[in-house]
Amino acid sequence: MKKDLIKFLKELRAYGVKNNIPNVTEEVGRFLNMLIRIKNSKMILEIGCANGYSTLWMAEAAKAVGARVHTIDFSRPSLAQAKDNVAIAGFSDTVEFYLDDALRLIPKMDRKLLFDFVFVDGEKASYLDF
């Protein structure tokens, strides 16, 4: 992983802590990255992206294995911030963003999108529904 990306991720994580953004820990981010690489996942779904911290961990691995990340968030401000952070880090070509409620969107998604890696990090009360 490039040093400039690691630096950006550390800054983004610190920003999240300071602003009460529910990001995963760095350890979880590294774990997600490693799992995607080991599994050689090609279609990744993330439910809940907040400011894009976990999205970036997955996008870095996705780019390395020729995959795409599809991320869903119902919050317009969160999704906009995630899009900006993904663009700054240089992964816009690897991530597809959806502004919607995942429970509403997923049943409507193209059935050709067969996800082989799913990270559920959305509204905790809806985990079983996801």
Side-chain angles (χ1 to χ4, degrees), residues 24-42:
V24 299
T25 63
E26 180 178 341
E27 291 80 10
V28 170
R30 288 184 182 280
F31 185 63
L32 292 168
N33 185 289
M34 181 184 67
L35 286 175
I36 290 166
R37 288 171 180 271
I38 289 171
K39 192 172 184 301
N40 198 26
S41 299
K42 297 300 178 195

Side-chain angles (χ1 to χ4, degrees), residues 21-130:
I21 297 171
N23 289 322
V24 299
T25 63
E26 180 178 341
E27 291 80 10
V28 170
R30 288 184 182 280
F31 185 63
L32 292 168
N33 185 289
M34 181 184 67
L35 286 175
I36 290 166
R37 288 171 180 271
I38 289 171
K39 192 172 184 301
N40 198 26
S41 299
K42 297 300 178 195
M43 292 293 290
I44 300 154
L45 176 63
E46 177 185 39
I47 300 173
C49 64
N51 64 348
Y53 180 75
S54 56
T55 312
L56 284 171
W57 280 105
M58 292 188 289
E60 193 278 337
K63 194 165 202 161
V65 300
R68 293 207 40 88
V69 176
H70 296 259
T71 187
I72 305 168
D73 205 293
F74 65 86
S75 166
R76 188 176 303 275
S78 291
L79 198 73
Q81 193 173 39
K83 275 185 180 181
D84 288 346
N85 289 327
V86 166
I88 289 166
F91 292 100
S92 292
D93 61 336
T94 307
V95 181
E96 186 77 31
F97 293 92
Y98 302 88
L99 176 63
D100 208 333
D101 178 326
L103 293 174
R104 226 183 353 236
L105 177 65
I106 291 170
K108 297 182 206 173
M109 291 179 97
D110 186 342
R111 293 291 176 212
K112 293 178 186 166
L113 295 176
L114 298 175
F115 298 105
D116 57 359
F117 189 95
V118 178
F119 177 52
V120 178
D121 195 30
E123 200 171 63
K124 307 307 180 234
S126 298
Y127 268 30
L128 291 177
D129 296 327
F130 294 138

Side-chain angles (χ1 to χ4, degrees), residues 2-21 23-24 26 30 51-53 56-57 81 85 88-89:
K2 294 180 181 179
K3 288 181 183 181
D4 57 333
L5 178 58
I6 292 171
K7 181 178 183 252
F8 183 64
L9 283 165
K10 287 187 183 300
E11 291 168 0
L12 194 55
R13 174 82 174 119
Y15 176 85
V17 169
K18 183 178 177 182
N19 292 281
N20 292 325
I21 297 171
N23 289 322
V24 299
E26 180 178 341
R30 288 184 182 280
N51 64 348
Y53 180 75
L56 284 171
W57 280 105
Q81 193 173 39
N85 289 327
I88 289 166

